[in-house]
Amino acid sequence: MGNVLKLVPTKPLHNFMNFIKLDRSKDESNILRFSAELANQTLLSIGRKFVINVFLIDSKIMVYEVPQRNSGFAGGKFIGKLKIKKAIDPNPPAGEISSHYYNASDFYIGAAIKLNNFEFRITDADEYCLKHMEDHPEQFPQANITYIIKKIKESTVNQASSHQLNEALVNADPERTGKLEYTIFKYILMKFIDDGLLSEHEYITLARHYSKQLMTDLFSLETLSAVAQRELSRQGFDDFDHLLTLISHYDMSRKNTLDRKDLYRALRSYPLPLAPQLIELIVEKLEPSEENDIDYKNLVNLLNYKKFSFIQQLAPHITFDTIRLEMQPKTGPVHHLVEYRDFLFDFEKLIDVKKSE
């Protein structure tokens, strides 16, 4: 009906509810970013790197080629932003549509994706992408830890093989630290499950879930706060009282705490000149209450360089770009120490549940 008010009608949004849920002011967190390479390598294509952007709002896809010196390829936009159909299956299963569009759940590390006659192999993903997938396991099975453990359990069907897996992991840890390097953990696991059962993304999900070297552990709360304070000072922001007042409007129960979802919503509604990812890192470091809520006054104090300055303690070379670079998974979680005892506990617990059914 609103189009009668305009000379040229405006095209309606295809998924308005997705737009309302995912669109965020000054935040690009509605985009999943994957690193990729061409699947069919030739002498000319070796070394070519691509970034695949998947837009959650409308499932459109955009591909950039990473510029590299002396490669013979200029880089830049490779495929413009558009919805892309999957290849047509000549013999689709009964009752299924033979062709449909790609959506976010089709993309994961290790996947082969054919986009406009170019076949890509996804090799990596950024931290936001991995975390978003883990936060929505019902949509991304490769990031669903329960689903992955069930797959492993079904592959090691008998009690003997389960016991052997347990024994192999323990024997690989002669000092009984309870931790194994990711590459060792993965190698042992691959020996006891069917070939190709788990994708590379699923191995990474296991390592991240049972890893003690979480991304937020790379930098202390004081360091993250100092980086935020220095950026706020550089931008000339000092209205912390107004920021606190605005956040408190979301605190209907007047407990001086908010759950993370409401806290992020409050922060996004304020033009705070900080990268959303930096704020999330700081919030993740804060000690939650018994109800798992966050003391937002404490957060504002940590940002307030006029009251509690950490800037002098910060090394000049540490910036948010430094932090973001460190957080990028370069070769998967190879530097993570996997808590294999926690994995075995969940694995055995699932077996016990299955026995009782």
Side-chain angles (χ1 to χ4, degrees), residues 210-349:
Y210 295 106
S211 172
K212 282 300 180 185
Q213 189 183 354
L214 299 175
M215 290 300 176
T216 51
D217 292 335
L218 295 174
F219 298 93
S220 68
L221 178 59
E222 289 74 16
T223 298
L224 295 170
S225 299
V227 170
Q229 288 182 357
R230 188 165 62 187
E231 182 61 20
L232 291 172
S233 176
R234 191 178 69 83
Q235 295 283 351
F237 177 89
D238 60 1
D239 199 354
F240 297 100
D241 291 338
H242 188 202
L243 174 62
L244 182 59
T245 300
L246 183 140
I247 297 176
S248 66
H249 289 160
Y250 289 79
D251 181 14
M252 301 300 181
S253 59
R254 297 294 180 260
K255 298 187 301 182
N256 295 325
T257 60
L258 287 172
D259 64 31
R260 285 178 170 80
K261 185 176 179 181
D262 286 337
L263 181 56
Y264 290 139
R265 192 153 55 97
L267 290 168
R268 287 196 300 270
S269 69
Y270 194 89
L272 198 63
L274 287 176
Q277 193 177 22
L278 178 56
I279 297 174
E280 289 181 12
L281 286 172
I282 295 172
V283 171
E284 290 300 318
K285 279 282 189 180
L286 295 175
E287 192 71 28
S289 67
E290 292 182 0
E291 292 81 18
N292 204 31
D293 292 340
I294 298 297
D295 183 344
Y296 55 83
K297 287 187 176 180
N298 187 22
L299 173 63
V300 174
N301 285 336
L302 287 170
L303 300 177
N304 192 340
Y305 57 87
K306 290 194 167 185
K307 273 189 177 181
F308 311 98
S309 179
F310 299 104
I311 299 176
Q312 299 302 322
Q313 307 170 23
L314 185 65
H317 70 278
I318 297 181
T319 64
F320 179 59
D321 288 336
T322 308
I323 294 172
R324 186 159 46 189
L325 184 63
E326 285 295 321
M327 289 178 60
Q328 295 297 325
K330 300 173 180 62
T331 54
V334 293
H335 301 297
H336 286 206
L337 292 176
V338 180
E339 287 275 357
Y340 69 87
R341 287 176 181 168
D342 291 344
F343 163 75
L344 288 173
F345 176 80
D346 290 344
F347 182 71
E348 295 296 335
K349 184 171 64 175

Side-chain angles (χ1 to χ4, degrees), residues 38-93:
L38 291 173
N40 301 315
Q41 295 284 330
T42 65
L43 287 176
L44 290 176
S45 64
I46 290 175
R48 295 179 73 180
K49 305 294 181 185
F50 300 86
V51 176
I52 300 176
N53 293 334
V54 182
F55 296 81
L56 296 173
I57 290 176
D58 51 15
S59 295
K60 288 185 178 180
I61 299 162
M62 179 183 288
V63 181
Y64 285 93
E65 182 168 4
V66 179
Q68 298 183 77
R69 294 181 62 182
N70 302 321
S71 68
F73 298 96
K77 188 183 292 185
F78 190 78
I79 297 177
K81 183 179 177 182
L82 72 165
K83 290 177 71 70
I84 299 179
K85 280 187 176 182
K86 295 182 180 180
I88 297 175
D89 185 350
N91 300 302

